[in-house]
Amino acid sequence: MADLVERFVKDHGLICREEYQELLKRMEEPAAARYVQDEAVRLRKKYYGERVYIRGLVEFTNYCRNGCFYCGINRENRRAVRYRLSTEEILECCERGWKLGFRTFVLQGGEDPWFTDERLLGLVRSVKEAYPDCALTLSVGERSFESYRGLRKAGADRYLLRHETAEEAHYGRLHPADMSLAARKQCLYQLKRLGFQTGAGFMVGSPGQTYRELASDLVFLKELQPEMVGIGPFIPHCDTSFAKEPAGSVELTVKLLSVIRILLPAALLPATTALGTLALDGRERGILAGANVVMPNLSPGKNRKQYSLYDNKLCEGAEAAEGLLELGRRMEAIGYGLSMERGDGVQLPGREL
Ligand code: SAM
């Protein structure tokens, strides 16, 4: 195992689960963590230079039929003040974003049954018709294959659906019995099959997670080969059953970003809001570890606090679309720069690196 870290770096993540577990342990040594981070930055620069892509996030509904134990907008939370944006409001968000320079819109929401296929398809068509030069990403949870197919045909380009954890028992610890890891994975494979640029991911430090679960997440990512990977620290929400659980670690999240950059060198990897929420310089640390995307908030000011997934979620300053100048300055201060392109990412031919 002495050369495990070097082997991981050389083989771009082709190691087994036990070895990933050992790798994470080894990365507790600063020298090993630094070595992995340097390689992650080298690969990130090779494929993306110093560009940081921006995505405008529109949180368009916080109604949700699911009962995920970690999430502040889960169906059991009677204290959540629910809202749903109209098509006009969503288009206004996009318009504001377009004027600011955004060329990707991410429509994210709870699994809101009001958005039948007919309504969601209509929404996708409206956004794509108004902004044909922009990429449209959806993040609205599990739907049927037919529904995904319709959304793809209507023009949606990308889909974010975190797998949350690749270990069955751990999935059961985070979700009620009516949700399953098998269903989640099936959705992800269907999305890929339909040609969506697909994003998986997980929270770091969710209750019950150890290096073993994280190692399984990494093996699953290697197998799925998603184009995007969203990871961020778990942060408790006061009105959930996980209210008293400790938050995940910024340090470990940042190390995992480097590991994921190596195992999926061309991936689009956001430095997430949760990372920025836990540490003032969280976003910068994410970028310096190999991330290449930021997702400022384009939702209407009146609703931002209501999309409360966890306590103290950032939605102002550099986290808000209006704070783009500040965000740009902060990226420049660490040697990177915001890109105004659609940012579809690069496709790697096989494993040629
Ligand atoms: N309903 C869609 C879905 O489940 O994919 C999209 C919305 S969901 C709220 C978006 C992501 O928020 C989840 O995948 C989860 O990883 C993250 N999230 C929820 N609660 C969180 C918490 N307490 N701390 C950190 N991230 C959280």
Side-chain angles (χ1 to χ4, degrees):
M1 283 284 188
D3 61 344
L4 173 64
V5 184
E6 279 166 30
R7 194 150 47 85
F8 165 71
V9 163
K10 196 165 116 276
D11 292 346
H12 293 100
L14 274 184
I15 57 175
C16 68
R17 190 184 62 72
E18 289 75 15
E19 289 174 320
Y20 270 117
Q21 211 169 323
E22 176 65 21
L23 175 77
L24 295 174
K25 181 95 196 101
R26 288 281 307 278
M27 285 177 71
E28 288 175 3
E29 294 161 25
R34 162 62 60 183
Y35 179 69
V36 171
Q37 181 175 356
D38 286 349
E39 175 64 8
V41 169
R42 186 187 74 76
L43 288 169
R44 181 241 196 276
K45 290 203 172 164
K46 174 171 174 185
Y47 294 110
Y48 293 105
E50 281 81 22
R51 289 190 303 281
V52 177
Y53 293 123
I54 53 168
R55 318 299 196 200
L57 181 62
V58 183
E59 297 158 334
F60 70 102
T61 174
N62 71 352
Y63 284 88
C64 192
R65 64 179 172 150
N66 287 336
C68 312
F69 302 144
Y70 44 84
C71 184
I73 62 167
N74 82 66
R75 66 182 176 220
E76 310 297 341
N77 183 5
R78 305 276 174 264
R79 294 177 60 173
V81 180
R82 305 285 168 173
Y83 74 93
R84 180 181 295 126
L85 302 186
S86 65
T87 302
E88 291 67 39
E89 285 176 303
I90 295 168
L91 288 171
E92 277 166 26
C93 295
C94 297
E95 182 61 18
R96 222 163 11 90
W98 199 88
K99 285 185 179 149
L100 286 165
F102 287 88
R103 292 296 176 268
T104 292
F105 302 119
V106 182
L107 302 189
Q108 188 182 87
E111 290 194 20
D112 179 353
W114 190 86
F115 282 99
T116 56
D117 287 346
E118 196 187 331
R119 288 182 173 136
L120 198 55
L121 259 63
L123 175 62
V124 167
R125 285 196 200 101
S126 304
V127 174
K128 287 298 283 193
E129 215 172 274
Y131 304 97
D133 56 339
C134 295
L136 180 58
T137 307
L138 293 174
S139 177
V140 288
E142 294 177 19
R143 302 180 74 92
S144 68
F145 183 74
E146 278 316 307
S147 177
Y148 287 149
R149 181 160 46 198
L151 294 167
R152 181 84 185 106
K153 271 179 134 171
D157 305 280
R158 307 176 186 149
Y159 204 104
L160 303 176
L161 181 71
R162 290 184 178 184
H163 63 282
E164 311 296 358
T165 173
E167 283 275 323
E168 203 79 60
H170 190 220
Y171 197 92
R173 166 105 197 256
L174 301 179
H175 301 96
D178 59 349
M179 294 178 76
S180 79
L181 177 59
R184 185 61 53 135
K185 284 187 172 177
Q186 187 184 40
C187 287
L188 282 163
Y189 283 108
Q190 289 177 342
L191 290 164
K192 281 214 68 147
R193 190 137 59 91
L194 287 164
F196 280 99
Q197 280 196 302
T198 304
F202 53 89
M203 292 171 291
V204 178
S206 59
Q209 183 187 66
T210 66
Y211 284 166
R212 184 197 157 88
E213 283 72 29
L214 287 171
S216 295
D217 288 324
L218 296 169
V219 170
F220 175 64
L221 289 178
K222 191 75 189 166
E223 178 192 301
L224 178 71
Q225 293 281 311
E227 286 77 15
M228 307 173 283
V229 182
I231 67 163
F234 160 75
I235 305 178
H237 185 288
C238 58
D239 297 322
T240 63
S241 52
F242 289 162
K244 296 272 181 303
E245 298 286 343
S249 135
V250 170
E251 286 69 30
L252 183 55
T253 306
V254 163
K255 282 181 200 171
L256 283 159
L257 281 171
S258 295
V259 170
I260 294 169
R261 169 61 62 208
I262 293 172
L263 71 92
L264 296 168
L268 294 158
L269 268 183
T272 54
T273 307
L275 194 55
T277 298
L278 272 197
L280 278 177
D281 60 349
R283 239 181 273 92
E284 285 88 337
R285 286 165 67 183
I287 298 295
L288 289 169
N292 60 344
V293 173
V294 284
M295 298 169 67
N297 197 314
L298 266 182
S299 309
K302 68 177 171 47
N303 301 112
R304 280 188 198 170
K305 289 261 183 287
Q306 293 167 321
Y307 199 79
S308 169
L309 307 183
Y310 45 81
D311 293 339
N312 306 315
K313 179 168 159 274
L314 278 194
C315 58
E316 280 159 4
E319 201 58 39
E322 311 79 72
L324 210 55
L325 274 180
E326 183 192 336
L327 184 62
R329 275 195 294 270
R330 287 172 63 163
M331 291 298 118
E332 276 160 30
I334 56 166
Y336 290 81
L338 295 184
S339 164
M340 296 299 169
E341 297 160 32
R342 249 174 75 118
D344 286 308
V346 297
Q347 295 291 326
L348 293 188
R351 289 195 58 250
E352 189 269 314
L353 292 166

